[in-house]
Amino acid sequence: MVPRPPPLSCDTFVALPPAAPGGRVVFGKNSDRPADEVQEVVHFPAAAHPPGAVLECTYISIEQVERTHAVVLSRPSWLWGAEMGANEHGVCIGNEAVWGREEVCDGEALLGMDLVRLGLERADTAEKALSVIVDLLEKYGQGGNCMESNMAFTYHNSFLIADRKEAWVLETSGKYWAAEKVEGGIRNISNQLSITTKIDREHPKLKEYAKSNGWWDGEKEFDFAATYSYVNTARMTTSGGRYCEGYKLLNKHKGSITSEIMMEILRDKESGINMEGGFMTTGSMVSVLPQQPNLPCIHFFTGTPDPARSVFKPFIFVPGITPLLKTTSPTFGPDDPVKKQPRFQSKPDRRHELYKKHESAAVVMETTKDKGKEMLKEIQELEKQKISQMESILQNGCLDTKQVVNLFSQCVEEELKIYG
């Protein structure tokens, strides 16, 4: 049996009407990663690709598709994929590390984070993104070091995928998988398999493989988490873990979950959702997906660690978006230690400008009480102002594209000004 890993890394949430009011879907995720890892916020426009084009992901190359959608991503700056993000069609995806009975592949394949980006680039609905991910999983597999370090950190993945109309949970064990369409208004995932007997789509040999390994007798009702996990799934919603605490927070606000409430959940330290220590929350995302197709989807990203002292900055897809230079990390091309064999022999400085200024501001907040308190108040006021502006857009349906192209970048500039 595989040794139990520590409960590290991430929580993802979704609320659908009527749990979220106003005919909106609200999505949120904390990315919990090594404390010294830089997370950047980057935008890639839609693109056409020539026949036979090859796509270089983090470790392996795969076939490119004819056309990719515009995406905005929050990602560890050393890799190709992303922890979370959205595309121009209102599809949002976040992934989690999960472990189970099936051993994690030692070889390099697609990372779960690569699959997040690939799903966003190639699908215009949540269910299509699910299909993209499982097809790639079958063809290329998942595996490889998920940390910029000589120390191996590998895992299988679960995904929460949402669009304007619905949401899906996809959980994997090697190439085997189960998917559940979200019903009941709220759903969250953490670092454990959570799909039980409600399975709406599955790998064609999911049950056969479990039976051949002696994990399922073929008689009792098939429970994916109980079969493929070594965790006692009966205790998942009653124990004090993050999965349980996250569900409690969603349920507490059921019927009134807005972007602000989702941000509040992501900032919750008592539950462990806003993680501190060697692994900490290094980036956060909240998206509002109106069901009315004439209204824009709004995506908020921090691009900095600890959402409790970060600004959720809004992003809306329009043509000609101003480059997100201040949240984009430096690149090192073929000299990047990630690209060289053996990998991870050194670690370059990947800090972007916002990260550097926020890092200095965090020291002030910790060491200079009055100045830190004032700075925190200013960034909170900036965020409230932006949320209010976005609510006005959603209420009035009036979008000034000339201003929206600078929306995220302008907010970053205002945040940098506060940090001085």
Side-chain angles (χ1 to χ4, degrees), residues 392-410:
S392 178
I393 289 172
L394 291 173
Q395 291 287 349
N396 303 323
C398 186
L399 195 65
D400 184 343
T401 55
K402 289 181 181 178
Q403 288 189 338
V404 171
V405 293
N406 298 310
L407 182 63
F408 186 86
S409 297
Q410 181 59 41

Side-chain angles (χ1 to χ4, degrees), residues 102-216:
E102 183 77 350
E103 289 197 26
V104 181
C105 169
D106 288 332
E108 292 182 342
L110 289 174
L111 294 179
M113 292 172 279
D114 293 337
L115 291 166
V116 168
R117 179 171 175 180
L118 289 162
L120 292 170
E121 287 191 341
R122 300 182 176 194
D124 59 2
T125 69
E127 190 171 6
K128 284 181 187 176
L130 189 158
S131 295
V132 165
I133 291 171
V134 298
D135 288 349
L136 290 165
L137 194 63
E138 183 71 25
K139 188 170 185 179
Y140 298 104
Q142 60 180 320
N145 196 353
C146 301
M147 192 161 62
E148 188 183 15
S149 169
N150 280 314
M151 184 178 75
F153 178 52
T154 58
Y155 46 78
H156 297 144
N157 290 267
S158 67
F159 305 87
L160 185 50
I161 312 169
D163 61 23
R164 292 176 183 264
K165 295 180 179 179
E166 63 186 28
W168 287 79
V169 174
L170 167 64
E171 296 184 339
T172 71
S173 181
K175 71 175 184 178
Y176 299 95
W177 56 272
E180 172 194 338
K181 187 175 181 180
V182 175
E183 294 174 358
I186 56 173
R187 188 67 158 86
N188 63 307
I189 58 172
S190 195
N191 299 118
Q192 58 196 65
L193 299 177
S194 62
I195 294 174
T196 56
T197 57
K198 185 185 182 302
I199 300 172
D200 297 299
R201 288 183 57 181
E202 65 187 68
H203 186 283
K205 295 186 177 179
L206 179 73
K207 293 170 185 168
E208 180 185 321
Y209 184 72
K211 196 172 178 182
S212 69
N213 279 285
W215 302 340
W216 179 58

Side-chain angles (χ1 to χ4, degrees), residues 14 70 140 143 181 207 249 251 255 261 265 270 318 349 358 419:
V14 72
Y140 298 104
K181 187 175 181 180
K207 293 170 185 168
L249 287 168
N251 202 47
I261 293 293
I265 290 171
E270 188 178 345
V318 289
D349 186 353
H358 181 270
Y419 298 149

